[in-house]
Amino acid sequence: MRGKYLPATTTDQRLLDKDQDTDWVHTDPWRVMRIQAEFVEGFGTLAELGPAISVFGSARLKHGSDLYAMGEEVARLLVDAGYAVITGGGPGAMEAANKGAHEAGGTSVGLGIELPFESGLNDYVDLGVNFRYFFVRKTMFVKYAQGYVVLPGGFGTLDELFEALTLAQTQKVTSFPVVLIGRSFWEPMIEWLGTTVLEHGMIAASDVARLQVVDTAAEAVQAIVKENAVIAASRPE
C-alpha cells in the first residue's frame, strides 16, 4: 500500500485498542472465519461417525401420525442394519428419526440450523452440531452419509433431495442411493420428471432412475443396504 492507502494505525494497534468499534465482527472477512470454524467443528465431530444414513422429511409432521411412526421405524431398522442416523435435528420427521435411532441404541445425530422458527435440537439427539450456514450443514449431510432416506416434506426436504441428485448427476458424489418413502406423495413428482422435464431434454433417463420409491420402512432400508453392498463390491481392493 502506498500514498492515501497507507493506514493511519498498525494492525497491532487496532488489535489492542480497547475503544475500537465492533462493526468488524459483522463484515465478510470475519464471516469467512466463522464459516471455517463451522466446517472444522462439523468435520471434527463427525469424522469417526462410521456408516450413516441421512433421513429427511417435514418438520411439520405431528407426533403420533403415521408418517412420524414411519420415521421412527426407518431409523430403528437403519440402526439394526449397522448405520448411524443423521437428521436436521429439529421437530417432525427429524425428531421421529432421532427418536427411533436413540431408542434402538444406535447413534442419533442432529445437524441443527439457526432459524427464526426452530429453537435447538430435539431431545433424542445424542450427537449434535448447530450451524449458522445452510451450505456448511449440507456438506455434512452428504460427506458423512452413505445415502438418503426421504420422507414426505416441503421446500427444505426438496432442497436436500435435489442437492443430492445434482451432486450425483455432476459426479461430485458417486453411487449415492436416494430412497423416497411414500408412493402417493412422490410419484406425481417422479412422473413430472420422467415426462415433462425429460422430454424437454433437461435431464437424462438415468437421472430419474436414481430415485427409488417405496412404501414401507423395511423396503427403504432394504434398498439402502442392497445398493451400498453393490457399491462396496465394485470398489477396487
Side-chain angles (χ1 to χ4, degrees):
M1 293 179 286
R2 294 176 178 171
K4 66 180 181 181
Y5 292 102
L6 284 170
T9 60
T10 67
T11 301
D12 283 341
Q13 280 179 293
R14 293 191 295 275
L15 174 64
L16 299 173
D17 184 2
K18 294 182 176 61
D19 297 323
Q20 63 181 318
D21 67 62
T22 58
D23 289 345
W24 62 275
V25 301
H26 304 294
T27 63
D28 286 343
W30 180 244
R31 289 190 182 100
V32 170
M33 300 300 293
R34 285 181 172 172
I35 291 165
Q36 180 181 354
E38 289 202 355
F39 275 115
V40 170
E41 183 178 5
F43 291 156
T45 302
L46 302 175
E48 298 178 349
L49 180 61
I53 300 297
S54 291
V55 179
F56 299 102
S58 176
R60 303 183 186 192
L61 294 187
K62 301 299 183 185
H63 186 278
S65 68
D66 290 343
L67 286 175
Y68 189 101
M70 181 76 75
E72 292 183 82
E73 184 181 3
V74 75
R76 284 195 296 269
L77 294 176
L78 285 169
V79 169
D80 290 344
Y83 292 104
V85 172
I86 303 173
T87 80
M94 296 173 281
E95 179 185 287
N98 285 133
K99 182 181 179 184
H102 174 80
E103 293 183 347
T107 302
S108 174
V109 181
L111 306 181
I113 187 70
E114 183 181 72
L115 293 175
F117 45 81
E118 287 182 24
S119 56
L121 300 173
N122 67 65
D123 293 337
Y124 302 101
V125 171
D126 300 317
L127 181 64
V129 185
N130 271 309
F131 296 93
R132 287 186 177 93
Y133 301 99
F134 268 117
F135 58 88
V136 180
R137 181 183 186 233
K138 286 180 178 180
T139 300
M140 305 303 155
F141 280 134
V142 175
K143 179 172 175 59
Y144 293 104
Q146 281 71 54
Y148 281 3
V149 173
V150 189
L151 292 157
F155 286 159
T157 302
L158 293 171
D159 179 52
E160 298 293 353
L161 169 61
F162 281 100
E163 174 91 4
L165 293 175
T166 300
L167 291 172
Q169 182 194 57
T170 55
Q171 299 181 23
K172 298 296 185 181
V173 296
T174 56
S175 303
F176 194 83
V178 178
V179 181
L180 312 179
I181 301 181
R183 293 182 188 277
S184 61
F185 184 88
W186 294 111
E187 282 190 341
M189 183 191 76
I190 302 295
E191 182 180 357
W192 173 72
L193 291 172
T195 54
T196 303
V197 183
L198 180 62
E199 289 168 4
H200 279 77
M202 306 300 178
I203 58 174
S206 58
D207 296 324
V208 184
R210 294 182 193 278
L211 293 166
Q212 302 180 62
V213 188
V214 300
D215 267 327
T216 69
E219 290 174 319
V221 176
Q222 183 180 24
I224 289 285
V225 171
K226 181 179 179 180
E227 186 163 344
N228 277 328
V230 171
I231 293 167
S234 67
R235 292 194 182 109
E237 296 182 359

